[in-house]
Amino acid sequence: MLLLGIDVGTSSIKVSVVDAETQKAVVSAQYPETESQIKSLKPGWAEQSPEMWWEHVQQAILKANASGAYQPRDIGSIGIAYQMHGLVVVDRGQNVLRDSIIWCDSRAVEIGNNAFRKIGEERSLSRLLNSPGNFTASKLAWVKENEPELFSRIDKVMLPGDFIAMRLTGEATISASALSEGILWDFQDDTISKDVLECYGFSSELFPPVKPVFAEHGYVTEAIAAKLSLRAGIPVTYKSGDQPNNALSLNVLQPGEVAATAGTSGVIYGVSDKLTYDPQSRVNTFAHVNYAGEQKRVGVLLCINGTGILNRWVRNNMAPGVSYKTIDSQGKEVPVGADGLRILPFGNGAERMLNNKLIGAHLLNVDFNLHTQAHIFRAEQEGIAFAFRYGLDIMRENGMNPSVIRAGKANLFQSPLFCEAFVNSTNVPVELYDNDGSVGAAIGAGIGVKAFASESEAFTNQRAIQLIEPGMSGVYEEIYQDWKTLLLRKLAE
C-alpha cells in the first residue's frame, strides 16, 4: 500500500509518498521552493492564509505525482502533520473568514493570563495541564473581543491540519490532541473543557466532532480526487501537530523517550504516562498521538520560538548568498565561546519558557577590534544551543531526564557546529535519524488505516544514522553559565 503524508509547515508544504512495506519514501516534494510569507501587521503578530496552505498542498501533491515514481491512484491513505496552535475559522459554507493567527503570534498573551486567573491557577494546571496562555483558545477569544462581527459568523474552529483535511474531504473533525494544543481539553473529564468555554463565552458547537488521532477523518471527494489525479474515497486516517508527529516519526511513543527539532522554532518533546505540568507553564503538556482511554500518553513540550529563524536572519542580513554549510565551517574556525560574544535568540515573539516575556534578540559583548563575521556565526549557534539547555533544565525540574535525545538530521541538526554545542551544553547524547515530517505523517496514516499490525511494526526498518556524544561538557558549561547570567539580567529589566 502507498501512503501519502502531508506536512503543513510555516515555511512550506512538504509531501511524501511512502511504501508501507518498506516504510521508505518513494518520492518527496516541497512547495514552494522559497519560504512562505508570514504577515506581521503589528509587532508580535503573525498570520498566514489557510487558502495559501491549501493551494501549496495541491501544488506539492501534483509535483510529487509528476515524478512518475508511483501511480497516484495506488495511494490508500492520507496523513497530515501541521504547524501547531494556529487558529482557523470558517463559516457554514466552509469559507475561511480571516487569516490564521499562527503559533508565533503573541497578541493573546494577556487574554490567556487573565483566563488563568479567572479559571484558577490550580484548576487550570490540574485539568488543562497548562495556563491558557497564548494558545488557540486565547487567540479565538481575541477575535471575539476585537472582531465581534466576524466572530458571529464562525461556524467551526479548527487547527491547520483539520482545515487541510476538510478541504480534501469536505468534513471537519478534530482530536483530543489538537484540542489540548489549543488548551481546550480537560484531561480529568476527557472532554472539551467547560471551564474554558465558560470563561471565554464559547459554544461547544464551534468545534467539530472529536475523533482519535488515528481514525477516519473523512474521504477524498470526487472533485478533489479528479483535480489531484487521486482515487476518490481515500481516507484521511491521521492528523497531528508537527511536534507530536515528529516524535511519532522518531518512534518516540513510550514514557521516557525524547525527541528534538531545530527548525524555525526549536523543540524538545518528551513522552510521559503522568498528567504532569509545570507550575509556571513554561513547558507545556499535550495529548500525544497515542493518548487514548486508559493509556494516558502525553507529550511534554519545550518550545523556543527563536532558533532556526535566527540562523536564517543572520545569513540573510549578514551573509547574503552564503550557504549554511559555509557559515558552519567559518564558525568552527572560531574558539568555543566565540571570544566572549553572546547572542540571546529570542526575537520571534513571546517565549513561553521565559514566562511569556517578549525580550527580543540581543547581540552582547561586541568588541569591534576582535569580533568578526565568523564570531557571529558561532555565537548564534551557541546561543540557540544554550536556549535549549535552559529549557531542558526546566523539563528536568518537572521529571523529564533524557539519557538520549532523538532528532532528524535536518535543519540545524545538519550542522556539526550546532550539534557539538547542543550535546555539550545539555550533556545528553543525540541520535540522528533520516526522518521527515511528511514521511512521519504517511507512517501515521498507515497506522490509522491498519497497514501495520502495531505501532512498533511501523518502525521495524528504522535505524539511527549517527550518534553524537558529549566530549567538552566542562568547557561549554562555563560559557553557558555566562550566557545564562546575561539572560537573567535581561529578564530582570
Side-chain angles (χ1 to χ4, degrees), residues 134-349:
N134 189 41
F135 293 101
T136 314
S138 301
K139 291 167 182 173
L140 180 61
W142 183 94
V143 173
K144 182 172 184 274
E145 181 178 319
N146 293 275
E147 299 171 349
E149 190 278 329
L150 184 149
F151 182 85
S152 70
R153 292 187 283 130
I154 296 174
D155 179 60
K156 288 293 178 281
V157 173
M158 60 193 79
L159 281 294
D162 304 319
F163 170 76
I164 296 302
M166 184 189 73
R167 281 286 180 261
L168 285 165
T169 68
E171 296 184 41
T173 68
I174 202 165
S175 68
S177 183
L179 287 162
S180 74
E181 70 178 79
I183 318 302
L184 284 155
W185 189 253
D186 187 317
F187 282 88
Q188 290 191 21
D189 291 342
D190 263 345
T191 187
I192 295 175
S193 169
K194 294 183 178 64
D195 290 325
V196 175
L197 296 183
E198 290 175 5
C199 178
Y200 285 145
F202 299 156
S203 166
S204 61
E205 294 180 359
L206 286 172
F207 303 96
V210 181
K211 293 190 174 185
V213 168
F214 301 109
E216 292 181 345
H217 294 276
Y219 305 88
V220 174
T221 64
E222 289 188 6
I224 295 302
K227 189 174 183 180
L228 299 177
S229 300
L230 302 175
R231 175 176 52 82
I234 300 172
V236 175
T237 57
Y238 171 79
K239 294 186 300 181
S240 170
D242 52 9
Q243 298 310 323
N245 177 71
N246 179 66
L248 169 80
S249 71
L250 292 163
N251 195 18
V252 171
L253 293 166
Q254 300 307 322
E257 295 176 339
V258 177
T261 57
T264 303
S265 64
V267 167
I268 298 178
Y269 184 98
V271 178
S272 175
D273 57 0
K274 298 178 176 59
L275 298 182
T276 185
Y277 56 85
D278 175 53
Q280 298 181 50
S281 209
R282 297 165 298 173
V283 296
N284 302 105
T285 303
F286 308 115
H288 195 28
V289 295
N290 55 349
Y291 176 95
E294 295 301 313
Q295 181 172 278
K296 302 300 186 187
R297 297 290 184 266
V298 296
V300 181
L301 184 149
L302 160 75
C303 181
I304 309 162
N305 290 351
T307 54
I309 193 170
L310 167 62
N311 199 35
R312 186 181 72 201
W313 184 88
V314 166
R315 186 187 70 166
N316 290 350
N317 291 280
M318 299 183 183
V322 176
S323 70
Y324 286 121
K325 187 175 181 179
T326 299
I327 286 173
D328 192 70
S329 62
Q330 290 184 10
K332 282 184 71 68
E333 294 174 2
V334 172
V336 175
D339 290 321
L341 188 66
R342 304 283 181 261
I343 294 182
L344 304 179
F346 304 115
N348 190 31

Side-chain angles (χ1 to χ4, degrees), residues 42 45 63 79 101 112 118 130 170 176 185 223 242 286 358 367 375 383 432 434-435 443 458-459 462 479 485 488:
K42 293 184 179 181
W45 288 24
K63 187 176 177 181
I101 303 174
K118 185 175 179 180
N130 299 282
W185 189 253
D242 52 9
F286 308 115
L358 183 62
D367 185 329
H375 284 86
L432 294 180
D434 184 15
N435 88 315
I443 295 294
F459 301 97
Q462 187 181 71
I479 298 162
T485 297
L488 296 177

Side-chain angles (χ1 to χ4, degrees), residues 471-483:
M472 296 184 290
S473 297
V475 175
Y476 274 90
E477 180 66 21
E478 182 178 350
I479 298 162
Y480 167 72
Q481 292 299 335
D482 179 63
W483 178 93

